[in-house]
Amino acid sequence: LKKWSKGWFEKNDVVNAEMSKLEIDEAVKEQKDFDLLAKITEIKDHDQFSNSVTFNDTTGQTWTANLFKRKFPHLNVNDVLRIKSCSAKEDNSLVLSAHSNILKFFSFSKIEKHLKASISSKTHIKNCVTK
């Protein structure tokens, strides 16, 4: 099973890697849940129970979230994730509900390599445009 799953993740994207900025912006405006594919760029201790985490997503946007250390102890800078069923405020801070979840992709997976390259290039382009 381990051999099969490793082969499957290496050859298949597993989730849809295309997310539209327009769809995300509409969901934020209408205060609806949406999914996000993102890379962690920074983790700071907020208090003894939570971390303040900064993400860059596939559309080039930067997001922040307060995540409980007990629920998400496995997160590290440069991890590529799928954040399932989150909402956001106008200031790009994510709000996770009790039913929200985070999927961390395996480092050997095709989708992780694709998203890491995609997010890095969009972040680089956005940084060049704003400077």
Side-chain angles (χ1 to χ4, degrees):
L1 183 59
K2 286 182 182 181
K3 184 178 177 182
W4 174 85
S5 62
K6 183 174 182 181
W8 181 259
F9 277 91
E10 284 177 333
K11 295 176 185 147
N12 299 289
D13 276 344
V14 189
V15 297
N16 183 5
E18 301 305 317
M19 296 209 156
S20 161
K21 184 175 180 343
L22 181 63
E23 290 174 16
I24 293 171
D25 290 344
E26 274 184 37
V28 171
K29 185 178 176 183
E30 296 172 10
Q31 297 178 345
K32 292 184 177 180
D33 284 0
F34 59 93
D35 295 347
L36 199 62
L37 293 170
K39 180 174 128 181
I40 298 176
T41 56
E42 186 177 16
I43 298 177
K44 292 182 183 175
D45 271 348
H46 187 259
D47 56 33
Q48 78 182 75
F49 303 107
S50 64
N51 287 322
S52 181
V53 182
T54 305
F55 308 94
N56 284 337
D57 74 357
T58 55
T59 65
Q61 296 185 80
T62 301
W63 302 89
T64 58
N66 239 0
L67 302 178
F68 290 113
K69 292 177 181 179
R70 212 165 163 85
K71 186 172 182 181
F72 305 109
H74 59 283
L75 301 179
N76 297 305
V77 173
N78 290 324
D79 283 347
V80 178
L81 319 162
R82 178 178 187 195
I83 304 168
K84 182 88 171 130
S85 198
C86 62
S87 57
K89 298 178 185 173
E90 294 292 327
D91 64 352
N92 278 19
S93 59
L94 296 177
V95 179
L96 277 69
S97 305
H99 62 273
S100 299
N101 210 343
I102 293 178
L103 168 68
K104 179 177 164 180
F105 295 108
F106 296 119
S107 60
F108 57 81
S109 65
K110 180 180 178 182
I111 187 85
E112 196 265 356
K113 292 172 185 165
H114 168 76
L115 290 174
K116 211 171 233 187
S118 173
I119 292 169
S120 295
S121 67
K122 287 184 181 170
T123 304
H124 176 72
I125 290 168
K126 184 178 178 184
N127 288 340
C128 289
V129 170
T130 58
K131 286 183 181 177

